Amino acid sequence: MAKPTAASRPELAGHMLRKRTISWLPYHFLLPSIILIMMINVYPFLTGLMYSVENGSLLKAGDFIGLDNYAKLMTMPDFWHSLYFSSVFAVFSVIGSYAVGLGLALILNKDIIGRGFFRVALLVPWILPSVVSIVGWRWLIGDQTGLFNTIITGMGFEPVLFLGTERWAIFSVIMIKVWRSFPFMMISLLAGLQTINQELYESAHMDGAGRWQSFWYITLPQLKMITVVCWILMTIWCFNDFDTIWLLTQGGPANATENLIILAYKYTFSKNAVGIGSAISIVSLVILMALALLLLKKQEQE
């Protein structure tokens, strides 16, 4: 028996037409979001990419010069120094925030007194606006009259220039970034810990495994996926961190804490070299994309 066709049954043709029309409905709902994303992300990116191949300034459009700005970056000592500091800042900030966040997540995952209060209280560094928290830190460590130095000198020791010497400035900005970032790691890892099947630990305990062995062979492998995601996100945020470093040191002293984002800002708005500043931003984007793809590829292979 032949199957009915759209031509022989008009109601079937109408149903097929309605089905094709309804299939576009999700795209209609997504269209405003797509337009908004294009305006916020795609347009500025394309504009920055265009500026990076020109020699213009903030006051006038420049001429097309191809990859000359990128070639000039390769010969700029301050670019390589900023790239080095950006890498150091990101690596130590991610490691520090992950270590602190994991330790606190393991504690808060246990049935301790006041667990709910501590879960909320430890989110304060992440919730506070960056300007408020960093201004508070400047009051604590800013100069010889800061609270920390007042205590140090009161104990008979020499004041410590936390933001006035290169090594202490690097240590300070990393330490404050860890303080601001560990709540994100903590809450993410705590959510991952609560999804681990407790029967795994019971089986390991019955087999004679200790706490360290259970942590190494059960907890860490079970947290691997959320760990990779947190590392990628935190690396991007640290690499692109502007407000922490700018509000603390503005890249000083002697450009010791100048990362790529601050360098791009200075070239664009202080030196009026929009092409160089845009090229630095594009290079930063490429580095972060390559790093994210590398971590995801490694995760897939494992």
Side-chain angles (χ1 to χ4, degrees), residues 124-186:
V124 170
W126 182 260
I127 298 173
L128 280 177
S130 58
V131 174
V132 175
S133 60
I134 295 172
V135 168
W137 274 106
R138 283 191 63 91
W139 175 74
L140 292 173
I141 65 174
D143 51 26
Q144 298 185 26
T145 60
L147 179 60
F148 284 3
N149 274 323
T150 300
I151 297 174
I152 292 173
T153 54
M155 297 172 62
F157 298 100
E158 292 293 327
V160 179
L161 301 179
F162 291 101
L163 302 178
T165 57
E166 294 185 10
R167 291 186 178 181
W168 275 112
I170 294 173
F171 169 80
S172 298
V173 296
I174 293 175
M175 182 268 296
I176 293 173
K177 183 62 179 179
V178 170
W179 178 81
R180 292 186 60 206
S181 303
F182 82 83
F184 169 76
M185 291 287 192
M186 180 192 70

Side-chain angles (χ1 to χ4, degrees), residues 247-263:
L247 293 174
L248 283 171
T249 64
Q250 295 188 1
N255 299 332
T257 59
E258 186 177 75
N259 63 358
L260 287 176
I261 303 305
I262 291 181
L263 182 67

Side-chain angles (χ1 to χ4, degrees), residues 209-266:
R211 291 185 177 181
W212 173 253
Q213 291 173 317
S214 298
F215 171 75
W216 188 259
Y217 294 105
I218 297 178
T219 304
L220 287 183
Q222 293 293 318
L223 293 176
K224 183 179 295 184
M225 181 58 69
I226 188 66
T227 295
V228 172
V229 174
C230 288
W231 282 358
I232 293 174
L233 292 176
M234 191 57 63
T235 301
I236 294 173
W237 293 337
C238 292
F239 210 86
N240 286 330
D241 193 308
F242 178 84
D243 49 357
T244 301
I245 300 174
W246 183 259
L247 293 174
L248 283 171
T249 64
Q250 295 188 1
N255 299 332
T257 59
E258 186 177 75
N259 63 358
L260 287 176
I261 303 305
I262 291 181
L263 182 67
Y265 173 83
K266 288 182 177 180

